[in-house]
Amino acid sequence: MENENKKAAKDIIGSVLKSMVLKGLIDIEELNERELLLEKIRELLPTLDIAIIVDHRPDILKQADWYYSQKEYNYAILFYTIFFEHSINNVIIVKLQNLKISEKSRKEILRSLSIATKFGWFLEVVGLPKFNEKYKKTITRLSEERNTFVHYKWNPDIDDTTTNTPKSEVDLGEIKACVKYMKNYESKNLFFGNKSSVDKAIRLL
């Protein structure tokens, strides 16, 4: 129970710290000043409107890698696509918050947009940089493969013996390159290219 409480406390502090960075309340240069960070957190915590969110993406990627290693490609694609959609949703939602878009509208926007749109023209609409076209195409293709698998319809007239094999070849190196680019895109646009510094500061608190 004690370990669980410590983990919960660290998750809360981590969420607070990330929110403060995103809101511009902490400079990147201050992340190495442990005592200063703790003092600012204590001062600002009562006044901050912060939702505590646990980031499951590291576990999602581990699950995706495991399924790929087992040649369970459809399940691997399912989890990789979840990672990509969670990541771009995070970037978009923070941008919409900064634009003072209401929570209700933010939810409706995310629900209404396709994954291709989230990685495409909508980024320009909210003032975000264009996503690399090559990686956008890869993620869109993975999403289409995911949808084919998730919404599979049994047809007794078709001898389908390859339900675990995507229709197009899926290269792990290509997916890993997309993952790396997605992480860099998020870091650049939410944490000024210093997300690793934020994560390090959270670990050291």
Side-chain angles (χ1 to χ4, degrees):
M1 179 63 71
E2 183 178 352
N3 289 336
E4 292 179 1
N5 290 338
K6 286 183 178 179
K7 184 179 184 304
K10 195 161 188 175
D11 288 340
I12 292 172
I13 292 175
S15 293
V16 171
L17 181 56
K18 285 183 179 180
S19 294
M20 291 171 72
V21 172
L22 293 173
K23 292 174 182 291
L25 300 173
I26 290 179
D27 295 329
I28 295 297
E29 292 75 17
E30 295 176 320
L31 290 174
N32 295 321
E33 303 292 335
R34 183 175 183 274
E35 295 304 320
L36 176 63
L37 287 180
L38 290 173
E39 183 60 31
K40 279 201 169 187
I41 290 173
R42 281 192 288 266
E43 290 177 0
L44 295 172
L45 184 56
T47 64
L48 289 176
D49 180 17
I50 294 174
I52 306 303
I53 299 174
V54 179
D55 188 353
H56 296 287
R57 286 176 297 170
D59 291 332
I60 289 171
L61 280 181
K62 287 179 183 178
Q63 196 70 49
D65 291 342
W66 184 84
Y67 275 121
Y68 195 98
S69 71
Q70 300 301 306
K71 299 184 179 180
E72 296 279 354
Y73 299 121
N74 276 320
Y75 290 107
I77 288 173
L78 174 63
F79 280 92
Y80 282 125
T81 306
I82 290 173
F83 165 81
F84 289 123
E85 191 150 22
H86 281 197
S87 296
I88 199 65
N89 282 353
N90 185 43
V91 175
I92 291 174
I93 206 75
V94 170
K95 187 65 176 180
L96 293 175
Q97 287 173 338
N98 292 340
L99 293 173
K100 309 301 182 184
I101 305 299
S102 69
E103 181 180 0
K104 180 181 178 181
S105 294
R106 295 197 301 264
K107 290 180 179 179
E108 290 179 356
I109 288 170
L110 289 181
R111 279 197 298 263
S112 64
L113 297 178
S114 68
I115 194 168
T117 302
K118 290 175 181 178
F119 283 95
W121 58 264
F122 187 74
L123 297 178
E124 182 179 357
V125 170
V126 293
L128 286 164
K130 183 177 180 181
F131 204 84
N132 179 281
E133 190 66 25
K134 174 184 175 182
Y135 297 135
K136 172 192 166 187
K137 288 180 179 179
T138 297
I139 293 170
T140 301
R141 180 166 59 85
L142 290 174
S143 177
E144 291 169 352
E145 296 282 6
R146 183 271 309 271
N147 291 341
T148 299
F149 175 60
V150 170
H151 302 295
Y152 181 79
K153 294 180 175 60
W154 291 99
N155 188 334
D157 296 328
I158 299 177
D159 180 19
D160 190 348
T161 59
T162 59
T163 57
N164 190 43
T165 304
K167 289 182 290 185
S168 56
E169 184 177 352
V170 181
D171 178 72
L172 184 60
E174 180 182 349
I175 294 174
K176 289 294 188 181
C178 285
V179 169
K180 182 178 180 180
Y181 180 83
M182 182 72 254
K183 289 180 177 180
N184 288 337
Y185 185 91
E186 180 182 39
S187 176
K188 180 179 179 181
N189 290 288
L190 296 189
F191 299 99
F192 313 101
N194 290 281
K195 187 174 184 296
S196 59
S197 298
V198 177
D199 292 337
K200 180 181 178 181
I202 292 172
R203 289 195 303 270
L204 294 177
L205 285 176

